[in-house]
Amino acid sequence: MKFEMNKMGKIIAIANQKGGVGKTTTTINLGASLAAEGKKTLIIDADPQANATSGYGINPQEMNSSIYECLVDDYPIRGSQISTCVKGLDLIGSRIDLAGAEIELINRPNRERVMANALKDLKEEYDYILIDCSPSLGLITVNALTAADSVIIPVQAEYFALEGITKLINTIRIIKPKLNPGLEIEGFLLTMYDARLRLANQIYEELKGHFGKMVFDTVIPRNIRLSEAPSHGLPALLYDPESRGATSHINLAKEIIAKNNKRQTKRK
C-alpha cells in the first residue's frame, strides 16, 4: 500500500470527560481506518488505563518507554513509537504510572505545553496523530488539547449525552485564547447508536440541531464485533472487516480525509 504524506500532520485529540462514550474504541478503529486509507497514522495513548495500548495487543509492562517517560522524564518521543498489527499505524503506549504525571508536572514551567513541545518533532512524519484522552479534564487532557489542531467529541446515544459536552466545550473555550488559538472542533461523533431506538434518533436530531455541520454524517452503531475486537488485540478492521463496526469507522476516516482535503484546497 502506498502512503501519502502531508507536509505537516494533523493532531486530533479524542476527548470527552464523560466515561464510557467510546473514546478509546474510536481511537483504535479510526487509527486503523486512516492507515487503511493510505494515511500514515500515530496513536498516542494518553489515558492511564492504557486501553488503546492493550487494545492493540501490546503489554504496557513490556514497552521500553511510554508517553509517561516522554512527558515527565523528557524521554525522546521519536523512537518511542511501536509498530502495530496495521501497516502504516504506530502507537505510543501508556501505563498506569501516567496517573501520577499530573502531580509531577504541576510545578514545571509551561506545564500545559509539554506534550505540544514533545510532538513538534513528529508532526512531519505522520498524516494524522490521534490522542486518546482520559475521561477527565486534568492536566494531561489539557496538554492534549493544547497540542491538538482539533478535537473529536464522541457522544453516546443515550440520555444525558448532551449534558457532558458542556464542560468540555467550556474547557476548549478557555484553552483557545490562552494556550491554543488554532484549536477547532473536528466534529461530534455519535457512538453506540441503535437506529431502532427512538431515543437514539432524538439525540442525533438534538446534536444536529445544536451543532449542525459540526456533527459527523457517520454514526458508530452498537456492534458486538466492535466490542469483542480489543480482547483479541485487534481493531475491528482486522477482527471482522465486514462488520458494521469496521465499515462505519472506514466511513468516518473517509469523511475526515475528505473534510481536511477540502480545507487544504480552500487555503491554497
Side-chain angles (χ1 to χ4, degrees):
M1 182 188 290
K2 186 181 177 185
F3 286 92
E4 305 162 14
M5 292 295 293
N6 291 332
K7 286 181 182 175
M8 191 68 81
K10 182 165 195 180
I11 302 175
I12 303 176
I14 297 170
N16 189 330
Q17 85 286 350
K18 194 171 185 293
V21 298
K23 285 186 298 293
T24 301
T25 299
T26 300
T27 307
I28 289 170
N29 291 287
L30 176 58
S33 300
L34 287 167
E37 290 296 307
K39 300 296 181 184
K40 191 153 175 44
T41 304
L42 172 69
I43 289 173
I44 295 174
D45 190 347
D47 185 345
Q49 293 176 84
N51 290 336
T53 305
S54 59
Y56 267 100
I58 295 159
N59 184 341
Q61 304 312 316
E62 292 175 3
M63 300 184 302
N64 292 328
S65 63
S66 69
I67 192 63
Y68 171 85
E69 285 82 9
C70 298
L71 297 178
V72 173
D73 300 328
D74 297 319
Y75 195 90
I77 203 158
R78 183 180 275 113
S80 296
Q81 307 104 305
I82 301 164
S83 297
T84 70
C85 50
V86 178
K87 189 179 178 186
L89 177 66
D90 296 336
L91 176 132
I92 294 175
S94 178
R95 281 195 278 256
I96 191 66
D97 52 8
L98 185 63
E102 305 212 350
I103 296 163
E104 295 180 70
L105 291 173
I106 202 82
N107 294 318
R108 187 181 289 202
N110 291 321
R111 62 192 180 190
E112 300 91 353
R113 300 185 189 275
V114 177
M115 190 180 292
N117 291 333
L119 284 176
K120 276 178 190 171
D121 288 346
L122 285 185
K123 273 196 95 170
E124 291 180 8
E125 288 185 28
Y126 294 94
D127 292 302
Y128 289 94
I129 297 173
L130 306 180
I131 307 174
D132 183 28
C133 297
S134 67
S136 77
L137 294 176
L139 185 54
I140 300 301
T141 299
V142 169
N143 260 265
L145 294 173
T146 304
D149 298 301
S150 65
V151 194
I152 289 174
I153 303 173
V155 182
Q156 192 176 358
E158 287 190 0
Y159 196 59
F160 295 134
L162 298 179
E163 209 172 69
I165 295 172
T166 312
K167 281 184 186 175
L168 180 57
I169 290 174
N170 286 340
T171 302
I172 291 167
R173 281 181 184 146
I174 292 163
I175 286 171
K176 266 187 78 123
K178 293 182 178 178
L179 297 166
N180 188 359
L183 183 63
E184 297 177 345
I185 293 175
E186 187 75 24
F188 294 87
L189 176 67
L190 197 64
T191 61
M192 304 178 204
Y193 177 75
D194 187 340
R196 297 168 301 179
L197 300 177
R198 184 188 295 172
L199 178 62
N201 291 302
Q202 280 175 348
I203 286 166
Y204 184 69
E205 291 307 317
E206 274 188 58
L207 261 185
K208 278 282 191 187
H210 275 84
F211 302 110
K213 290 181 180 177
M214 292 167 76
V215 180
F216 286 109
D217 292 331
T218 306
V219 296
I220 308 300
R222 281 198 179 274
N223 180 246
I224 190 69
R225 309 303 268 171
L226 203 53
S227 305
E228 289 171 352
S231 65
H232 296 268
L234 295 169
L237 194 64
L238 294 185
Y239 180 62
D240 185 352
E242 303 300 317
S243 66
R244 287 189 307 133
T247 55
S248 63
H249 282 95
I250 284 284
N251 290 338
L252 177 63
K254 287 178 175 175
E255 190 174 344
I256 288 168
I257 292 164
K259 188 189 282 188
N260 284 289
N261 286 345
K262 203 172 178 181
R263 280 182 190 148
Q264 284 174 2
T265 306
K266 280 183 180 176
R267 284 175 191 149
K268 284 177 184 176

